[in-house]
Amino acid sequence: MAFDSLASKLQMAVRRVTGKGRLSEKDIEGMLREIRLSLLEADVNLNVVKHFSAKIKEEALGAHILKGLNPSQQVIKVVKDNLTEMLGGSETPFVTDTKTTRVILSGLQGSGKTTSAAKLASFMAKHHAKTPLLVALDVYRPAAIDQLKTLGEDLNVPVYEEGTDVDPVIIAKNALKYADKHGHDALIFDTAGRLHIDESMIDEIKAIHQTVNPTHAFLVLDAMTGQDAVNVAKHFADHLTLTGAVLTKFDGDTRGGAALSLRHVAAVPIVFMGVGEKTSDLEKFYPERIAERILGMGDVLTLVDKVSENVSEADMMNMMEKMTSGHYNFDDFYKQLKMIKRMGSIGGLMKLIPGMNKMLNSANVDESRLASIEALIQSMTKKERKDPGLIKKSANRRRRVAHGSGRSVADLNRLITSFDQQMQMVKRMGSMDPSAMAQNPGAMMPKQKVKKGKGKNRGGFRF
Ligand SMILES: Nc1nc2c(ncn2[C@@H]2O[C@H](COP(=O)(O)OP(=O)(O)O)[C@@H](O)[C@H]2O)c(=O)[nH]1
Ligand SMILES: [Mg+2]
Protein backbone atom coordinates (compact mmCIF):
# COMPACT_ATOMS: atom_id res chain seq x y z
CA MET A 1 0.00 0.00 0.00
CA ALA A 2 1.07 3.56 -0.68
CA PHE A 3 2.93 5.41 2.05
CA ASP A 4 3.70 2.29 4.07
CA SER A 5 7.32 3.09 4.67
CA LEU A 6 6.69 6.79 5.26
CA ALA A 7 3.88 5.93 7.63
CA SER A 8 5.95 3.63 9.79
CA LYS A 9 8.83 6.11 9.91
CA LEU A 10 6.66 9.09 10.73
CA GLN A 11 4.84 7.12 13.39
CA MET A 12 8.20 6.26 14.88
CA ALA A 13 9.22 9.91 14.86
CA VAL A 14 6.00 11.00 16.49
CA ARG A 15 6.28 8.27 19.09
CA ARG A 16 9.30 10.11 20.45
CA VAL A 17 6.91 12.58 21.95
CA THR A 18 3.79 10.55 22.64
CA GLY A 19 2.81 9.80 26.18
CA LYS A 20 5.27 12.27 27.65
CA GLY A 21 3.85 14.62 30.21
CA ARG A 22 6.54 17.17 29.50
CA LEU A 23 8.38 17.98 26.32
CA SER A 24 11.69 19.68 25.92
CA GLU A 25 12.98 21.52 22.91
CA LYS A 26 15.34 18.61 22.46
CA ASP A 27 12.45 16.15 22.17
CA ILE A 28 10.91 18.28 19.45
CA GLU A 29 14.23 18.63 17.63
CA GLY A 30 14.70 14.87 17.70
CA MET A 31 11.25 14.29 16.31
CA LEU A 32 11.74 16.91 13.61
CA ARG A 33 15.02 15.43 12.46
CA GLU A 34 13.31 12.09 11.94
CA ILE A 35 10.34 13.70 10.21
CA ARG A 36 12.65 15.49 7.78
CA LEU A 37 14.52 12.30 7.00
CA SER A 38 11.35 10.29 6.45
CA LEU A 39 9.94 12.90 4.11
CA LEU A 40 13.13 13.10 2.09
CA GLU A 41 13.25 9.33 1.83
CA ALA A 42 9.67 9.42 0.60
CA ASP A 43 10.91 11.59 -2.27
CA VAL A 44 9.22 14.77 -1.11
CA ASN A 45 10.56 17.93 -2.70
CA LEU A 46 13.39 19.44 -0.64
CA ASN A 47 11.84 22.91 -0.45
CA VAL A 48 8.58 21.43 0.72
CA VAL A 49 10.39 19.48 3.43
CA LYS A 50 12.24 22.60 4.59
CA HIS A 51 9.14 24.75 4.61
CA PHE A 52 7.05 22.31 6.61
CA SER A 53 9.76 21.32 8.99
CA ALA A 54 10.21 25.00 9.85
CA LYS A 55 6.47 25.43 10.30
CA ILE A 56 6.11 22.38 12.51
CA LYS A 57 9.04 23.56 14.59
CA GLU A 58 7.61 27.01 15.07
CA GLU A 59 4.15 25.74 15.95
CA ALA A 60 5.33 22.88 18.14
CA LEU A 61 7.66 25.08 20.12
CA GLY A 62 4.89 27.58 20.76
CA ALA A 63 4.94 28.38 24.47
CA HIS A 64 1.29 27.52 24.95
CA ILE A 65 1.93 24.00 23.72
CA LEU A 66 4.94 23.07 25.79
CA LYS A 67 3.47 24.52 28.94
CA GLY A 68 -0.10 23.49 28.23
CA LEU A 69 -1.96 20.31 28.97
CA ASN A 70 -1.05 17.20 27.01
CA PRO A 71 1.80 18.78 25.05
CA SER A 72 2.51 15.57 23.16
CA GLN A 73 -1.01 15.35 21.83
CA GLN A 74 -0.86 18.93 20.72
CA VAL A 75 2.43 18.35 18.96
CA ILE A 76 0.90 15.40 17.12
CA LYS A 77 -1.93 17.64 16.07
CA VAL A 78 0.58 20.15 14.71
CA VAL A 79 2.26 17.38 12.68
CA LYS A 80 -1.08 16.12 11.43
CA ASP A 81 -2.27 19.57 10.43
CA ASN A 82 0.91 20.26 8.51
CA LEU A 83 0.83 16.91 6.79
CA THR A 84 -2.75 17.67 5.77
CA GLU A 85 -1.58 21.01 4.43
CA MET A 86 1.17 19.33 2.40
CA LEU A 87 -1.43 17.06 0.87
CA GLY A 88 -3.46 20.08 -0.18
CA GLY A 89 -5.33 21.25 2.91
CA SER A 90 -9.05 20.98 2.55
CA GLU A 91 -10.71 18.67 0.09
CA THR A 92 -11.14 19.97 -3.47
CA PRO A 93 -14.76 19.23 -4.36
CA PHE A 94 -15.73 17.73 -7.67
CA VAL A 95 -18.70 19.69 -8.92
CA THR A 96 -20.59 18.91 -12.05
CA ASP A 97 -22.35 21.36 -14.33
CA THR A 98 -26.10 21.30 -14.22
CA LYS A 99 -26.02 21.23 -18.00
CA THR A 100 -23.06 19.52 -19.60
CA THR A 101 -19.97 18.65 -17.61
CA ARG A 102 -16.80 18.58 -19.68
CA VAL A 103 -13.65 16.98 -18.32
CA ILE A 104 -10.34 17.00 -20.18
CA LEU A 105 -7.58 14.64 -19.10
CA SER A 106 -4.00 15.32 -20.07
CA GLY A 107 -0.68 13.87 -19.00
CA LEU A 108 2.27 11.82 -20.12
CA GLN A 109 1.89 8.48 -21.86
CA GLY A 110 1.24 5.67 -19.41
CA SER A 111 0.18 7.97 -16.59
CA GLY A 112 -3.31 6.48 -16.62
CA LYS A 113 -5.40 8.91 -18.70
CA THR A 114 -7.45 6.34 -20.60
CA THR A 115 -8.12 4.26 -17.49
CA SER A 116 -9.00 7.37 -15.49
CA ALA A 117 -11.35 8.56 -18.25
CA ALA A 118 -13.36 5.37 -17.89
CA LYS A 119 -13.24 5.60 -14.09
CA LEU A 120 -14.55 9.15 -14.18
CA ALA A 121 -17.37 8.18 -16.53
CA SER A 122 -18.38 5.48 -14.11
CA PHE A 123 -18.02 7.85 -11.14
CA MET A 124 -20.22 10.54 -12.66
CA ALA A 125 -22.87 8.03 -13.71
CA LYS A 126 -22.96 6.62 -10.20
CA HIS A 127 -22.61 9.70 -8.02
CA HIS A 128 -23.90 12.50 -10.22
CA ALA A 129 -26.60 10.70 -12.19
CA LYS A 130 -24.90 11.68 -15.44
CA THR A 131 -25.16 10.01 -18.83
CA PRO A 132 -21.53 10.18 -19.90
CA LEU A 133 -19.83 10.05 -23.27
CA LEU A 134 -16.15 9.14 -23.63
CA VAL A 135 -14.27 10.95 -26.37
CA ALA A 136 -11.17 9.44 -27.99
CA LEU A 137 -8.73 12.22 -28.83
CA ASP A 138 -5.56 10.14 -28.80
CA VAL A 139 -5.29 9.92 -32.57
CA TYR A 140 -1.65 8.89 -32.64
CA ARG A 141 -2.11 5.37 -31.37
CA PRO A 142 -4.93 3.27 -32.84
CA ALA A 143 -4.60 0.93 -29.85
CA ALA A 144 -5.53 3.80 -27.55
CA ILE A 145 -8.94 4.14 -29.21
CA ASP A 146 -9.54 0.39 -28.91
CA GLN A 147 -8.55 0.49 -25.26
CA LEU A 148 -11.09 3.22 -24.56
CA LYS A 149 -13.76 1.35 -26.50
CA THR A 150 -13.20 -1.84 -24.52
CA LEU A 151 -13.46 0.08 -21.24
CA GLY A 152 -16.57 1.88 -22.49
CA GLU A 153 -18.23 -1.39 -23.47
CA ASP A 154 -17.65 -2.82 -20.01
CA LEU A 155 -19.29 0.22 -18.47
CA ASN A 156 -21.98 0.59 -21.05
CA VAL A 157 -20.71 4.06 -21.85
CA PRO A 158 -20.47 4.96 -25.55
CA VAL A 159 -17.20 6.19 -27.03
CA TYR A 160 -17.13 8.97 -29.60
CA GLU A 161 -14.26 8.54 -32.07
CA GLU A 162 -13.35 9.47 -35.61
CA GLY A 163 -10.36 7.20 -36.08
CA THR A 164 -6.80 8.45 -36.37
CA ASP A 165 -6.90 10.77 -39.38
CA VAL A 166 -8.88 13.68 -38.02
CA ASP A 167 -7.54 16.64 -36.05
CA PRO A 168 -8.42 16.10 -32.37
CA VAL A 169 -9.74 19.65 -32.12
CA ILE A 170 -12.32 18.87 -34.83
CA ILE A 171 -13.23 15.58 -33.12
CA ALA A 172 -13.74 17.45 -29.84
CA LYS A 173 -16.03 19.93 -31.54
CA ASN A 174 -18.05 17.17 -33.19
CA ALA A 175 -18.26 15.24 -29.92
CA LEU A 176 -19.87 18.24 -28.21
CA LYS A 177 -22.51 18.37 -30.95
CA TYR A 178 -23.04 14.61 -30.76
CA ALA A 179 -23.49 14.74 -26.98
CA ASP A 180 -26.01 17.53 -27.30
CA LYS A 181 -28.03 15.58 -29.82
CA HIS A 182 -27.94 12.26 -27.97
CA GLY A 183 -28.59 13.44 -24.44
CA HIS A 184 -25.11 13.04 -22.92
CA ASP A 185 -24.62 15.50 -20.10
CA ALA A 186 -21.04 14.59 -19.24
CA LEU A 187 -18.09 14.31 -21.63
CA ILE A 188 -14.69 12.97 -20.77
CA PHE A 189 -11.95 13.75 -23.29
CA ASP A 190 -9.06 11.29 -23.35
CA THR A 191 -6.13 13.09 -24.96
CA ALA A 192 -2.83 11.87 -26.35
CA GLY A 193 0.29 11.78 -24.21
CA ARG A 194 3.95 11.65 -25.11
CA LEU A 195 6.82 10.10 -23.30
CA HIS A 196 8.17 13.57 -22.61
CA ILE A 197 6.57 16.96 -22.54
CA ASP A 198 6.93 18.67 -25.90
CA GLU A 199 5.62 21.86 -27.33
CA SER A 200 3.37 20.32 -29.93
CA MET A 201 1.57 18.27 -27.29
CA ILE A 202 1.02 21.35 -25.13
CA ASP A 203 -0.20 23.32 -28.17
CA GLU A 204 -2.65 20.59 -29.07
CA ILE A 205 -4.10 20.42 -25.56
CA LYS A 206 -4.35 24.21 -25.45
CA ALA A 207 -6.40 24.16 -28.65
CA ILE A 208 -8.64 21.41 -27.25
CA HIS A 209 -9.13 23.46 -24.07
CA GLN A 210 -10.21 26.44 -26.15
CA THR A 211 -12.75 24.39 -28.07
CA VAL A 212 -14.15 22.48 -25.13
CA ASN A 213 -14.03 25.15 -22.42
CA PRO A 214 -13.74 22.43 -19.78
CA THR A 215 -15.51 22.31 -16.42
CA HIS A 216 -12.49 20.39 -15.16
CA ALA A 217 -9.04 20.26 -16.72
CA PHE A 218 -7.30 17.45 -14.91
CA LEU A 219 -3.70 16.47 -15.15
CA VAL A 220 -3.23 12.73 -14.75
CA LEU A 221 -0.07 11.82 -12.85
CA ASP A 222 1.49 8.54 -11.94
CA ALA A 223 2.15 8.61 -8.18
CA MET A 224 4.88 6.01 -8.59
CA THR A 225 7.08 8.47 -10.49
CA GLY A 226 7.57 10.71 -7.45
CA GLN A 227 9.53 13.87 -8.10
CA ASP A 228 9.26 13.37 -11.87
CA ALA A 229 5.50 13.58 -11.60
CA VAL A 230 5.85 16.85 -9.75
CA ASN A 231 8.15 18.30 -12.39
CA VAL A 232 5.76 17.28 -15.14
CA ALA A 233 2.92 18.89 -13.22
CA LYS A 234 4.84 22.10 -12.84
CA HIS A 235 5.50 22.26 -16.54
CA PHE A 236 1.89 21.58 -17.48
CA ALA A 237 0.63 24.06 -14.91
CA ASP A 238 2.95 26.73 -16.33
CA HIS A 239 1.37 26.38 -19.75
CA LEU A 240 -2.23 25.33 -19.14
CA THR A 241 -5.02 26.29 -16.81
CA LEU A 242 -5.45 23.15 -14.74
CA THR A 243 -8.20 22.72 -12.19
CA GLY A 244 -6.75 19.67 -10.50
CA ALA A 245 -4.92 16.38 -10.70
CA VAL A 246 -5.83 12.73 -10.73
CA LEU A 247 -3.03 10.88 -8.97
CA THR A 248 -2.98 7.29 -10.21
CA LYS A 249 -1.44 4.05 -8.96
CA PHE A 250 -1.96 4.84 -5.32
CA ASP A 251 -2.43 1.14 -4.79
CA GLY A 252 1.21 0.56 -5.64
CA ASP A 253 3.98 1.09 -3.13
CA THR A 254 4.41 4.74 -3.98
CA ARG A 255 6.61 6.43 -1.45
CA GLY A 256 4.31 9.41 -1.44
CA GLY A 257 6.59 12.17 -2.69
CA ALA A 258 4.29 13.30 -5.50
CA ALA A 259 1.20 13.52 -3.33
CA LEU A 260 3.08 15.45 -0.68
CA SER A 261 4.79 17.93 -3.01
CA LEU A 262 2.30 18.60 -5.77
CA ARG A 263 0.28 21.33 -4.15
CA HIS A 264 3.27 23.40 -3.18
CA VAL A 265 5.47 22.93 -6.21
CA ALA A 266 2.82 23.12 -8.92
CA ALA A 267 -0.16 24.66 -7.09
CA VAL A 268 -2.37 21.87 -8.41
CA PRO A 269 -4.81 20.23 -5.98
CA ILE A 270 -5.32 16.48 -6.10
CA VAL A 271 -9.00 15.80 -6.69
CA PHE A 272 -9.06 12.05 -7.27
CA MET A 273 -6.77 9.12 -6.68
CA GLY A 274 -6.60 5.94 -8.72
CA VAL A 275 -6.36 2.90 -6.50
CA GLY A 276 -6.32 0.01 -8.96
CA GLU A 277 -6.81 -1.03 -12.56
CA LYS A 278 -10.56 -1.62 -12.37
CA THR A 279 -12.97 1.11 -13.47
CA SER A 280 -14.38 1.30 -9.96
CA ASP A 281 -10.94 1.97 -8.46
CA LEU A 282 -11.26 5.72 -8.17
CA GLU A 283 -11.62 7.60 -4.90
CA LYS A 284 -12.04 11.23 -3.96
CA PHE A 285 -8.87 12.56 -2.39
CA TYR A 286 -9.29 13.72 1.23
CA PRO A 287 -6.02 15.25 2.51
CA GLU A 288 -6.95 15.04 6.17
CA ARG A 289 -8.01 11.42 6.01
CA ILE A 290 -4.77 10.51 4.30
CA ALA A 291 -2.71 12.42 6.84
CA GLU A 292 -4.49 10.55 9.62
CA ARG A 293 -3.85 7.26 7.91
CA ILE A 294 -0.17 8.06 7.53
CA LEU A 295 0.07 8.88 11.22
CA GLY A 296 -1.73 5.69 12.17
CA MET A 297 -4.75 7.48 13.56
CA GLY A 298 -7.06 5.29 11.56
CA ASP A 299 -9.54 6.65 9.16
CA VAL A 300 -12.51 7.38 11.32
CA LEU A 301 -14.43 9.11 8.58
CA THR A 302 -14.07 6.30 6.07
CA LEU A 303 -15.17 3.99 8.83
CA VAL A 304 -18.19 6.15 9.49
CA ASP A 305 -19.00 6.14 5.77
CA LYS A 306 -18.71 2.38 5.63
CA VAL A 307 -20.77 1.89 8.72
CA SER A 308 -23.50 4.25 7.60
CA GLU A 309 -23.78 2.39 4.32
CA ASN A 310 -24.52 -0.79 6.24
CA VAL A 311 -26.09 0.18 9.52
CA SER A 312 -28.96 2.53 10.18
CA GLU A 313 -28.18 5.67 12.09
CA ALA A 314 -30.74 4.79 14.73
CA ASP A 315 -29.00 1.46 15.38
CA MET A 316 -25.69 3.23 15.60
CA MET A 317 -26.81 5.96 17.98
CA ASN A 318 -28.53 3.43 20.13
CA MET A 319 -25.35 1.39 20.37
CA MET A 320 -23.13 4.38 21.09
CA GLU A 321 -25.49 5.54 23.79
CA LYS A 322 -25.50 2.13 25.43
CA MET A 323 -21.74 1.91 25.30
CA THR A 324 -21.10 5.29 26.80
CA SER A 325 -23.81 5.03 29.43
CA GLY A 326 -22.44 1.76 30.76
CA HIS A 327 -25.48 -0.30 29.76
CA TYR A 328 -23.61 -2.18 27.11
CA ASN A 329 -24.01 -5.94 27.45
CA PHE A 330 -23.31 -9.22 25.69
CA ASP A 331 -26.47 -8.91 23.62
CA ASP A 332 -25.17 -5.62 22.23
CA PHE A 333 -21.73 -7.06 21.74
CA TYR A 334 -23.26 -9.87 19.74
CA LYS A 335 -25.38 -7.50 17.68
CA GLN A 336 -22.33 -5.47 16.91
CA LEU A 337 -20.37 -8.48 15.77
CA LYS A 338 -23.15 -9.25 13.37
CA MET A 339 -22.99 -5.71 12.02
CA ILE A 340 -19.25 -6.02 11.53
CA LYS A 341 -19.81 -9.28 9.70
CA ARG A 342 -22.32 -7.59 7.44
CA MET A 343 -19.75 -4.93 6.60
CA GLY A 344 -17.17 -7.40 5.38
CA SER A 345 -13.76 -8.44 6.46
CA ILE A 346 -13.00 -7.52 10.03
CA GLY A 347 -9.31 -7.31 9.33
CA GLY A 348 -9.83 -4.51 6.81
CA LEU A 349 -12.32 -2.71 8.97
CA MET A 350 -10.25 -2.87 12.13
CA LYS A 351 -7.44 -1.07 10.35
CA LEU A 352 -9.70 1.93 10.10
CA ILE A 353 -10.24 2.11 13.84
CA PRO A 354 -7.79 4.45 15.56
CA GLY A 355 -5.00 2.57 17.23
CA MET A 356 -6.19 -0.74 15.95
CA ASN A 357 -3.69 -0.81 13.12
CA LYS A 358 -0.80 -1.09 15.53
CA MET A 359 -2.45 -3.68 17.67
CA LEU A 360 -3.25 -5.81 14.70
CA ASN A 361 0.42 -6.21 13.95
CA SER A 362 0.75 -8.50 16.91
CA ALA A 363 -2.73 -9.92 16.99
CA ASN A 364 -4.28 -12.37 14.67
CA VAL A 365 -7.85 -11.50 14.06
CA ASP A 366 -9.20 -14.77 12.95
CA GLU A 367 -12.62 -14.45 11.42
CA SER A 368 -13.46 -17.99 12.41
CA ARG A 369 -13.23 -16.89 16.06
CA LEU A 370 -16.39 -14.95 15.42
CA ALA A 371 -18.26 -18.23 15.26
CA SER A 372 -16.78 -19.18 18.60
CA ILE A 373 -17.95 -15.92 20.18
CA GLU A 374 -21.37 -16.45 18.73
CA ALA A 375 -21.58 -19.91 20.26
CA LEU A 376 -20.42 -18.64 23.66
CA ILE A 377 -22.91 -15.79 23.80
CA GLN A 378 -25.71 -18.06 22.70
CA SER A 379 -24.96 -20.42 25.56
CA MET A 380 -25.53 -17.67 28.11
CA THR A 381 -28.92 -17.22 29.71
CA LYS A 382 -30.91 -14.13 28.88
CA LYS A 383 -30.03 -12.70 32.27
CA GLU A 384 -26.34 -13.31 31.83
CA ARG A 385 -26.32 -11.61 28.46
CA LYS A 386 -27.99 -8.54 29.90
CA ASP A 387 -25.71 -8.39 32.92
CA PRO A 388 -22.08 -9.17 32.06
CA GLY A 389 -21.17 -8.95 35.76
CA LEU A 390 -22.89 -12.29 36.47
CA ILE A 391 -20.53 -14.19 34.22
CA LYS A 392 -17.50 -12.30 35.37
CA LYS A 393 -18.21 -13.02 39.04
CA SER A 394 -19.10 -16.68 38.86
CA ALA A 395 -16.68 -19.43 37.91
CA ASN A 396 -19.60 -21.85 37.90
CA ARG A 397 -21.45 -19.87 35.31
CA ARG A 398 -18.33 -19.57 33.21
CA ARG A 399 -17.81 -23.33 33.27
CA ARG A 400 -21.42 -23.97 32.37
CA VAL A 401 -21.40 -21.52 29.43
CA ALA A 402 -18.12 -22.84 28.10
CA HIS A 403 -19.30 -26.41 28.37
CA GLY A 404 -22.65 -25.64 26.74
CA SER A 405 -21.00 -24.00 23.76
CA GLY A 406 -18.36 -26.68 23.30
CA ARG A 407 -15.60 -24.14 23.98
CA SER A 408 -13.08 -23.79 26.77
CA VAL A 409 -13.25 -21.46 29.75
CA ALA A 410 -10.13 -19.80 28.36
CA ASP A 411 -12.11 -18.98 25.21
CA LEU A 412 -14.81 -17.40 27.33
CA ASN A 413 -12.26 -15.43 29.33
CA ARG A 414 -10.80 -14.08 26.14
CA LEU A 415 -14.24 -12.99 25.05
CA ILE A 416 -14.75 -11.19 28.35
CA THR A 417 -11.38 -9.47 28.00
CA SER A 418 -12.14 -8.18 24.55
CA PHE A 419 -15.58 -7.08 25.68
CA ASP A 420 -13.96 -5.09 28.49
CA GLN A 421 -11.30 -3.65 26.20
CA GLN A 422 -13.94 -2.47 23.84
CA MET A 423 -15.88 -0.84 26.64
CA GLN A 424 -12.78 1.02 27.75
CA MET A 425 -11.94 2.17 24.26
CA VAL A 426 -15.46 3.37 23.66
CA LYS A 427 -15.51 5.17 26.98
CA ARG A 428 -12.41 7.02 25.91
CA MET A 429 -13.96 7.93 22.58
CA GLY A 430 -17.33 8.68 24.11
CA SER A 431 -15.92 11.15 26.56
CA MET A 432 -14.82 13.30 23.64
CA ASP A 433 -17.25 14.85 21.28
CA PRO A 434 -16.28 14.63 17.61
CA SER A 435 -15.01 18.20 17.48
CA ALA A 436 -12.79 17.54 20.45
CA MET A 437 -11.49 14.48 18.68
CA ALA A 438 -10.59 16.60 15.70
CA GLN A 439 -8.90 19.08 18.00
CA ASN A 440 -7.05 16.45 19.83
CA PRO A 441 -6.34 13.46 17.65
CA GLY A 442 -3.39 12.45 19.78
CA ALA A 443 -5.83 11.15 22.35
CA MET A 444 -6.68 8.48 19.84
CA MET A 445 -3.15 7.37 19.20
CA PRO A 446 -2.33 3.79 20.06
CA LYS A 447 -1.43 3.24 23.65
CA GLN A 448 1.99 1.69 23.79
CA LYS A 449 1.06 -0.45 26.74
CA VAL A 450 -1.17 -2.69 24.70
CA LYS A 451 1.74 -4.11 22.81
CA LYS A 452 3.46 -5.54 25.84
CA GLY A 453 3.07 -9.11 26.98
CA LYS A 454 4.32 -12.47 25.99
CA GLY A 455 3.28 -15.22 23.68
CA LYS A 456 1.44 -15.47 20.45
CA ASN A 457 -1.32 -12.97 20.84
CA ARG A 458 0.64 -10.61 22.96
CA GLY A 459 -1.27 -7.53 23.75
CA GLY A 460 -3.45 -7.58 20.68
CA PHE A 461 -7.16 -7.34 20.66
CA ARG A 462 -8.14 -10.91 21.18
CA PHE A 463 -11.24 -12.64 20.11
N1 LIG B 1 -2.46 -0.32 -10.35
C1 LIG B 1 -2.95 0.70 -11.06
N2 LIG B 1 -2.75 0.73 -12.38
C2 LIG B 1 -3.25 1.77 -13.06
C3 LIG B 1 -3.98 2.82 -12.45
N3 LIG B 1 -4.33 3.69 -13.41
C4 LIG B 1 -3.85 3.21 -14.57
N4 LIG B 1 -3.19 2.04 -14.38
C5 LIG B 1 -2.49 1.19 -15.37
O1 LIG B 1 -1.47 1.96 -15.98
C6 LIG B 1 -1.28 1.60 -17.31
C7 LIG B 1 -1.39 2.81 -18.22
O2 LIG B 1 -2.70 3.33 -18.16
P1 LIG B 1 -3.41 4.09 -19.36
O3 LIG B 1 -4.75 4.49 -18.89
O4 LIG B 1 -3.35 3.28 -20.60
O5 LIG B 1 -2.45 5.36 -19.50
P2 LIG B 1 -2.44 6.50 -20.60
O6 LIG B 1 -1.34 6.16 -21.55
O7 LIG B 1 -2.16 7.76 -19.84
O8 LIG B 1 -3.78 6.54 -21.24
C8 LIG B 1 -2.35 0.56 -17.61
O9 LIG B 1 -1.79 -0.72 -17.52
C9 LIG B 1 -3.37 0.76 -16.50
O10 LIG B 1 -4.07 -0.42 -16.19
C10 LIG B 1 -4.16 2.75 -11.02
O11 LIG B 1 -4.76 3.63 -10.35
N5 LIG B 1 -3.64 1.68 -10.38
MG1 LIG C 1 -4.27 6.46 -23.27
Side-chain angles (χ1 to χ4, degrees), residues 403-418:
H403 186 73
S405 66
R407 315 278 154 170
S408 67
V409 175
D411 285 335
L412 179 56
N413 289 341
R414 265 203 293 277
L415 160 64
I416 294 170
T417 309
S418 58

Side-chain angles (χ1 to χ4, degrees), residues 142-401:
I145 301 177
D146 292 338
Q147 186 193 355
L148 194 62
K149 277 162 94 174
T150 308
L151 290 165
E153 267 164 35
D154 289 346
L155 290 171
N156 236 334
V157 172
V159 174
Y160 186 90
E161 54 115 349
E162 293 188 31
T164 53
D165 296 329
V166 182
D167 180 345
V169 177
I170 311 263
I171 304 178
K173 206 179 269 171
N174 291 338
L176 286 167
K177 277 188 223 146
Y178 179 92
D180 212 23
K181 213 164 137 192
H182 293 83
H184 293 285
D185 52 4
L187 291 96
I188 302 109
F189 297 88
D190 177 30
T191 68
R194 307 280 154 82
L195 290 172
H196 301 283
I197 303 165
D198 64 38
E199 242 170 81
S200 66
M201 172 174 69
I202 295 280
D203 286 345
E204 183 181 296
I205 298 170
K206 263 190 194 161
I208 296 172
H209 272 213
Q210 263 169 11
T211 303
V212 170
N213 184 24
T215 320
H216 296 282
F218 287 154
L219 181 64
V220 179
L221 291 171
D222 178 343
M224 303 286 286
T225 54
Q227 280 305 294
D228 286 345
V230 178
N231 294 333
V232 169
K234 179 145 178 47
H235 197 93
F236 270 83
D238 284 346
H239 292 88
L240 295 168
T241 311
L242 295 170
T243 61
V246 177
L247 205 56
T248 62
K249 309 184 195 179
F250 238 74
D251 48 312
D253 56 354
T254 165
R255 284 178 288 164
L260 286 157
S261 319
L262 201 58
R263 185 59 175 265
H264 290 270
V265 176
V268 179
I270 302 165
V271 184
F272 285 104
M273 56 186 188
V275 294
E277 299 194 31
K278 292 198 304 292
T279 47
S280 54
D281 294 332
L282 183 76
E283 290 179 12
K284 278 289 307 59
F285 187 84
Y286 296 105
E288 188 174 6
R289 295 189 190 186
I290 302 222
E292 285 178 353
R293 239 185 231 190
I294 295 176
L295 288 174
M297 292 172 183
D299 195 337
V300 184
L301 293 175
T302 304
L303 180 69
V304 170
D305 282 352
K306 261 218 163 93
V307 170
S308 57
E309 272 171 28
N310 291 280
V311 182
S312 79
E313 199 173 335
D315 272 358
M316 199 62 202
M317 290 312 288
N318 197 353
M319 199 63 88
M320 281 308 273
E321 210 174 286
K322 275 200 164 154
M323 284 178 161
T324 48
S325 68
H327 291 117
Y328 190 61
N329 61 34
F330 285 123
D331 274 336
D332 304 317
F333 189 71
Y334 181 56
K335 250 193 236 156
Q336 215 187 19
L337 281 179
K338 284 209 294 205
M339 277 189 209
I340 290 177
K341 251 176 153 177
R342 232 187 299 157
M343 284 184 264
S345 139
I346 7 177
L349 225 94
M350 296 280 242
K351 285 211 175 108
L352 300 173
I353 300 177
M356 204 60 91
N357 211 354
K358 275 270 123 29
M359 296 185 205
L360 279 181
N361 288 341
S362 55
N364 51 349
V365 176
D366 180 353
E367 303 210 13
S368 73
R369 306 276 320 197
L370 272 180
S372 162
I373 295 177
E374 242 180 282
L376 283 163
I377 295 183
Q378 274 167 348
S379 293
M380 295 176 191
T381 64
K382 242 187 189 161
K383 236 173 139 185
E384 287 163 347
R385 276 185 247 162
K386 291 250 175 295
D387 182 1
L390 289 176
I391 296 274
K392 284 188 212 165
K393 272 180 282 186
S394 158
N396 270 339
R397 286 181 193 266
R398 283 205 295 273
R399 259 197 303 277
R400 197 201 75 245
V401 169

Side-chain angles (χ1 to χ4, degrees), residues 59 74 101 163 405:
E59 290 170 29
Q74 295 192 52
T101 305
S405 66

